[in-house]
Amino acid sequence: MLITMMKHSDADHVDGARLQWETLRPDIDTTPMEILGRINRIALLTAPAIVSVMAEYDLDRGEFDVLATLRRSGAPFALRPTELCSSLLLTSGGLSNRLRRMERKGLVTRTQNEEDGRSQLITISPKGLNLVDQVFTHDMKVEAGLLSKLDEKHRSQLAEALKALCLTLEQ
């Protein structure tokens, strides 16, 4: 039997899920869902719009993340694979597959690191640099639209709270 969800105008999906769990398992504290459940749900709800932007430029999110990380690193827009893995929370295998695809597209190059002959440098190509600037501009407009219903006070409070959570989890 499905427990019916809340019908209050200020109740969201997470409130309904919590009510269902509290009915079935009152012995379990479901308050973490108020934060982590909502973060997950927001990620799922916003992903289609963001993925759509990337797809318009023949990129997936992972490829965009590599390009954006290289772009943010500043000139000469190059990082060692270990630096990319660390920044993107990827394994070396996951990064290697991504880089192969991106090399074939002409978005990045791999060269020997002159400072350390044992490693490579991943460098964004001129084509990749131009592309990431276009995609980032478009993506920020889309993301601003997704947040447009929140006033500045709520956006600021939410950003600070999420920053505190990120800092805690990154330790």
Side-chain angles (χ1 to χ4, degrees), residues 66 69-70 73 78-96 99 110-111 113 116 118-123:
V66 170
T69 301
L70 291 168
S73 73
L79 293 170
R80 294 188 324 264
T82 54
E83 294 169 316
L84 278 170
C85 285
S86 176
S87 179
L88 298 169
L89 302 176
L90 283 175
T91 64
S92 59
L95 179 63
S96 291
L99 292 175
R110 288 191 243 202
T111 57
N113 185 347
D116 179 0
R118 297 169 297 163
S119 69
Q120 294 183 327
L121 281 178
I122 310 305
T123 305

Side-chain angles (χ1 to χ4, degrees), residues 86-157:
S86 176
S87 179
L88 298 169
L89 302 176
L90 283 175
T91 64
S92 59
L95 179 63
S96 291
N97 292 333
R98 201 174 284 182
L99 292 175
R100 272 193 290 281
R101 286 192 319 267
M102 296 176 73
E103 277 184 301
R104 284 192 295 267
K105 290 181 176 184
L107 302 175
V108 298
T109 59
R110 288 191 243 202
T111 57
Q112 200 63 36
N113 185 347
E114 292 178 12
E115 295 175 13
D116 179 0
R118 297 169 297 163
S119 69
Q120 294 183 327
L121 281 178
I122 310 305
T123 305
I124 195 169
S125 70
K127 177 182 177 181
L129 186 62
N130 181 52
L131 182 64
V132 73
D133 284 346
Q134 289 178 48
V135 177
F136 181 69
T137 300
H138 187 171
D139 181 53
M140 287 298 96
K141 287 179 184 174
V142 168
E143 290 188 27
L146 293 169
L147 298 173
S148 66
K149 300 270 193 223
L150 293 177
D151 62 34
E152 182 58 38
K153 177 183 170 191
H154 283 111
R155 283 194 303 264
S156 179
Q157 289 172 336

Side-chain angles (χ1 to χ4, degrees), residues 28-78:
I28 297 176
D29 176 14
T30 62
T31 57
M33 290 176 67
E34 291 179 326
I35 297 169
L36 298 178
R38 285 190 174 101
I39 289 171
N40 186 52
R41 185 134 175 102
I42 289 165
L44 292 170
L45 291 169
T46 58
I50 295 167
V51 167
S52 175
V53 169
M54 308 302 157
E56 285 184 45
Y57 298 89
D58 191 31
L59 285 178
D60 64 32
R61 283 180 88 165
E63 293 167 335
F64 173 78
D65 288 345
V66 170
L67 292 175
T69 301
L70 291 168
R71 177 68 167 106
R72 290 191 320 266
S73 73
F77 312 111

